[in-house]
């Protein structure tokens, strides 16, 4: 039996999260940026020009006619607006001192592909007369330039920006360490060594959009900031989280993958991992976008061999914990020998699996939802879809509606669990401290296997993965967000009565916590 102390701690944690949400405790993106002492910070959220206010250093920018203020935000979950610069119109400041190290930060959405090299944020007066610049290259990469002793240094990002996608970009130059780095969507994209010399032309004016060296591109920008220091990886990550979540959100910093499929409501354009630059999702087979449960789009699957969203092989080395979370609308038959994969990365004994299945390898006869990992050897937690002890039946899941599904493992507690619609449905305890063995060269797939022969039937939306387990309070909060029509990380303010009901539901889930069966061989 679970100890009374542990049960109380879990309930207190759940109530603490709910109370925080109800009281609106959160940190805004703007305050997160300002806490790191930017030299200049142009939020670019004015309703109209011609002034773009510097809320940090007073170096206001003057916008040309043709700069479009009041545009749809590039950040997520916010009513803040953004500004579009296209072609010749730009924003320019007066001259001011900068350096010797620096960071440039901004959110950007390309409205059209590059037609050459385009300044995004920089001080390119002419020729070699600059201190720092961030360019979009003619191939869609981020290129920071730094001028040291008039010996300019530049490097291109590995990642190519996709038209219509949203990106948080930070470039840093650490003069003392002799390094230049590019971060895209909170993830380190590239670092190079730079021979340290005294920076030059540090007093130039700044340009947002076209500078005096290159023609302007077509892009929407928001929250452009300049620092006289190199931001750390932790600071970059925190800015990314704050910029995604908005002012009323609870965000888990262990998030590694998140596909909301909201690039469109139809078609097969790539799905961005909006918390990273690797693992772009490519639709394969007849898989396609369909209108989503939350936001514009979801991934639609026809239960056809070859369907899937290929998310590559990188960034799946989970050790101390993992969680897989998604909204699913399934039409699985439940027939013997049939499999519908929600996610699978098939690295043999190191596979990662979340799948509907009905086969002789399962511990029970009939349809199950299986969660497989290598934890001291590969094994699955197979939840019978039988309606017993609070578990759903297949009919209850395949009812034509979206359901919130979470599979989680936490090595610290040893809890391996499956949650359905905000409540713990099935679990087992492994020896605390037992680590996951994962990773390998095979691609992961949403909605299929790497062999493309166990396709999903239905829709998957808001697919997320974490490098730690999710606790019961977080799962409940994410489910409430879904019920309110919000993404997982914007927690709606609960009514007082709802708080009581959720506390009761959480206690009921705790009572079911130890119900489950042992590990099964795949």
């Amino acid at each position: 039996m679970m100890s009374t102390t542990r049960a109380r701690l879990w309930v207190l944690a759940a109530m603490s999260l709910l109370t925080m949400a109800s009281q609106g405790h959160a940190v805004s993106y703007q305050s997160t940026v300002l806490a790191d002492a930017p030299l200049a910070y142009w939020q670019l959220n004015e309703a109209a020009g011609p002034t773009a206010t510097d809320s940090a250093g007073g170096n206001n920018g003057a916008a040309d006619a043709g700069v479009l203020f009041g545009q749809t935000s590039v950040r997520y979950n916010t009513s803040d607006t953004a500004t579009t610069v296209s072609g010749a119109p730009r924003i320019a400041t007066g001259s001011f001192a900068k350096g010797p190290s620096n960071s440039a930060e901004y959110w950007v959405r390309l409205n059209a592909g590059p037609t050459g090299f385009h300044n995004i944020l920089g001080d390119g007066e002419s020729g070699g007369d600059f201190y720092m610049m961030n360019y979009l290259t003619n191939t869609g990469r981020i290129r920071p330039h730094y001028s040291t002793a008039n010996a300019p240094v530049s490097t291109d990002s590995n990642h190519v920006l996709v038209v219509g996608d949203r990106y948080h970009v930070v470039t840093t130059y650490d003069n003392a360490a002799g390094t230049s780095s590019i971060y895209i969507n909170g993830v380190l994209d590239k670092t190079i060594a730079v021979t340290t010399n005294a920076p030059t032309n540090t007093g130039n004016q700044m340009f947002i959009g076209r500078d005096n060296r290159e023609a302007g591109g077509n892009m929407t920008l928001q929250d452009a900031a300049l620092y006289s220091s190199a931001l750390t990886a932790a600071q970059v990550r925190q800015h990314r989280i704050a910029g995604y979540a908005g002012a009323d959100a609870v965000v888990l910093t262990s998030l590694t993958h998140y596909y909301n499929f909201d690039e469109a409501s139809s078609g097969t354009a790539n799905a961005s991992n909006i918390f990273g630059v690797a693992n772009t999702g490519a639709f394969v087979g007849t898989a396609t976008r369909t209108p989503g449960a939350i936001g514009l789009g979801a991934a639609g699957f026809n239960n056809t061999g070859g369907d899937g969203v290929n998310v590559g092989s990188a960034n799946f080395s989970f050790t101390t914990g993992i969680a897989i979370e998604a909204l699913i609308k399934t039409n699985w038959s439940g027939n013997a020998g049939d499999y519908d994969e929600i996610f699978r990365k098939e690295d043999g004994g190191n596979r990662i699996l979340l799948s509907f299945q009905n086969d002789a390898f399962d511990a029970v006869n009939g349809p199950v939802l299986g969660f497989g990992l290598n934890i001291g050897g590969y094994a699955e937690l197979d939840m019978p879809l039988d309606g017993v002890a609070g578990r759903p039946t297949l009919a209850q899941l395949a009812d034509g509606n979206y359901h919130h599904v979470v599979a989680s493992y936490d090595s610290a507690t040893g809890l391996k669990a499956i949650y359905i619609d905000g409540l713990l449905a099935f679990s087992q305890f492994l020896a605390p401290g037992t680590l996951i063995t994962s990773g390998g060269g095979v691609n992961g797939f949403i909605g299929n296997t790497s062999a493309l022969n166990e396709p999903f039937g239905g829709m998957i939306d808001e697919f997320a993965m974490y490098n730690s387990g999710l606790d019961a309070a977080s799962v409940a909060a994410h489910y409430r967000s879904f019920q309110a029509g919000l993404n997982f990380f914007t927690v709606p303010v609960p009514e007082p009565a709802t708080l009581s009901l959720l506390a009761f539901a959480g206690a009921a889930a705790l009572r079911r916590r130890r119900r489950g069966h042992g590990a099964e061989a795949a």
Side-chain angles (χ1 to χ4, degrees):
M1 294 292 292
M2 179 182 62
S3 71
T4 302
T5 299
R6 181 181 291 181
R8 286 174 176 169
L9 287 173
W10 277 42
V11 173
L12 287 172
M15 294 305 296
S16 175
L17 181 62
L18 297 179
T19 301
M20 180 173 66
S22 67
Q23 293 176 348
H25 290 180
V27 178
S28 71
Y29 181 78
Q30 290 85 357
S31 63
T32 301
V33 170
L34 290 169
D36 287 328
L39 178 65
Y41 177 26
W42 303 277
Q43 296 180 26
L44 302 177
N45 63 354
E46 291 82 5
T51 300
T53 301
D54 172 8
S55 57
N59 298 294
N60 295 343
D64 294 337
V67 172
L68 301 178
F69 292 86
Q71 304 301 295
T72 302
S73 175
V74 183
R75 287 193 283 108
Y76 298 84
N77 308 334
T78 179
S79 60
D80 292 345
T81 59
T83 297
T84 294
V85 288
S86 178
R90 65 184 180 186
I91 298 171
T93 73
S95 300
F96 62 96
K98 297 172 283 295
S101 296
N102 76 68
S103 299
E105 178 176 30
Y106 48 87
W107 292 72
V108 60
R109 179 177 59 239
L110 302 186
N111 303 315
T115 56
F117 289 84
H118 305 307
N119 179 64
I120 302 172
L121 174 66
D123 63 353
E125 292 278 13
S126 63
D129 185 3
F130 62 87
Y131 165 53
M132 62 74 60
M133 300 180 298
N134 264 221
Y135 269 33
L136 178 71
T137 73
N138 58 350
T139 59
R141 302 175 191 273
I142 296 295
R143 174 179 290 184
H145 292 258
Y146 307 105
S147 182
T148 61
N150 277 326
V153 174
S154 66
T155 186
D156 291 355
S157 66
N158 293 312
H159 192 70
V160 175
L161 273 58
V162 176
V163 173
D165 281 5
R166 316 180 197 199
Y167 295 95
H168 173 237
V169 178
V170 176
T171 65
T172 67
Y173 168 56
D174 190 326
N175 182 264
T179 58
S180 169
S181 297
I182 303 171
Y183 298 84
I184 301 180
N185 289 348
V187 176
L188 179 63
D189 177 86
K190 192 175 190 179
T191 296
I192 64 169
V194 178
T195 302
T196 56
N197 289 303
T200 58
N201 305 312
T202 57
N204 289 354
Q205 66 184 131
M206 292 293 295
F207 301 98
I208 300 171
R210 178 182 64 87
D211 64 3
N212 288 340
R213 302 171 82 250
E214 301 288 352
N218 185 348
M219 62 193 77
T220 299
L221 294 163
Q222 191 169 3
D223 292 291
L226 183 67
Y227 304 79
S228 288
S229 63
L231 292 179
T232 66
Q235 288 172 310
V236 172
R237 173 73 173 173
Q238 189 57 43
H239 290 202
R240 169 62 177 168
I241 290 169
Y244 176 76
D248 60 350
V250 175
V251 176
L252 293 164
T253 58
S254 60
L255 186 65
T256 60
H257 306 75
Y258 191 10
Y259 303 89
N260 61 13
F261 302 107
D262 285 344
E263 291 82 2
S265 59
S266 62
T268 57
N270 286 348
S272 294
N273 175 13
I274 60 178
F275 261 80
V277 297
N279 306 101
T280 295
F283 284 80
V284 295
T286 63
T288 187
R289 275 189 182 79
T290 186
I294 296 173
L296 283 177
F301 305 94
N302 300 309
N303 198 25
T304 301
D307 284 3
V309 178
N310 183 342
V311 295
S313 61
N315 303 314
F316 290 104
S317 294
F318 300 94
T319 56
T320 59
I322 187 174
I324 304 172
E325 179 174 30
L327 300 176
I328 65 166
K329 183 191 286 188
T330 179
N331 54 32
W332 182 46
S333 69
N335 293 336
D338 190 18
Y339 308 83
D340 273 31
E341 312 285 2
I342 298 171
F343 179 80
R344 186 162 184 157
K345 189 172 186 299
E346 181 49 52
D347 289 303
N350 293 337
R351 73 175 61 89
I352 302 171
L353 169 75
L354 182 59
S355 172
F356 289 111
Q357 52 198 43
N358 184 351
D359 61 28
F361 297 109
D362 300 329
V364 295
N365 293 325
V368 303
L369 178 60
F371 174 34
L373 294 170
N374 184 340
I375 308 172
Y378 181 78
E380 293 177 8
L381 176 67
D382 290 331
M383 180 180 76
L385 299 176
D386 56 8
V388 176
R391 298 187 292 268
T393 64
L394 175 56
Q396 288 172 328
L397 287 180
D399 62 356
N401 298 311
Y402 275 98
H403 292 275
H404 179 235
V405 175
V406 175
S408 173
Y409 173 68
D410 181 356
S411 67
T413 62
L415 176 65
K416 190 177 184 184
I418 296 174
Y419 300 82
I420 303 292
D421 290 337
L423 291 176
L424 183 64
F426 203 59
S427 65
Q428 67 180 142
F429 276 96
L430 305 179
T434 308
L435 300 180
I436 306 166
T437 302
S438 63
V442 175
N443 291 334
F445 283 81
I446 300 170
N448 218 318
T449 70
S450 57
L452 303 180
N453 62 1
E454 296 180 1
F456 189 81
M459 285 77 131
I460 299 176
D461 199 4
E462 307 295 316
F463 181 91
M465 293 186 74
Y466 309 77
N467 60 16
S468 68
L470 288 183
D471 61 23
S474 297
V475 172
H478 291 193
Y479 177 61
R480 289 187 295 110
S481 297
F482 159 54
Q483 288 182 304
L486 303 170
N487 67 72
F488 296 152
F489 307 109
T490 303
V491 180
V493 176
E495 298 293 333
T498 306
L499 280 173
S500 298
L501 289 172
L502 285 166
F504 175 79
L510 290 174
R511 287 195 296 271
R512 296 200 303 270
R513 186 168 178 262
R514 285 300 299 269
R515 296 182 182 179
H517 52 72
E520 298 83 39

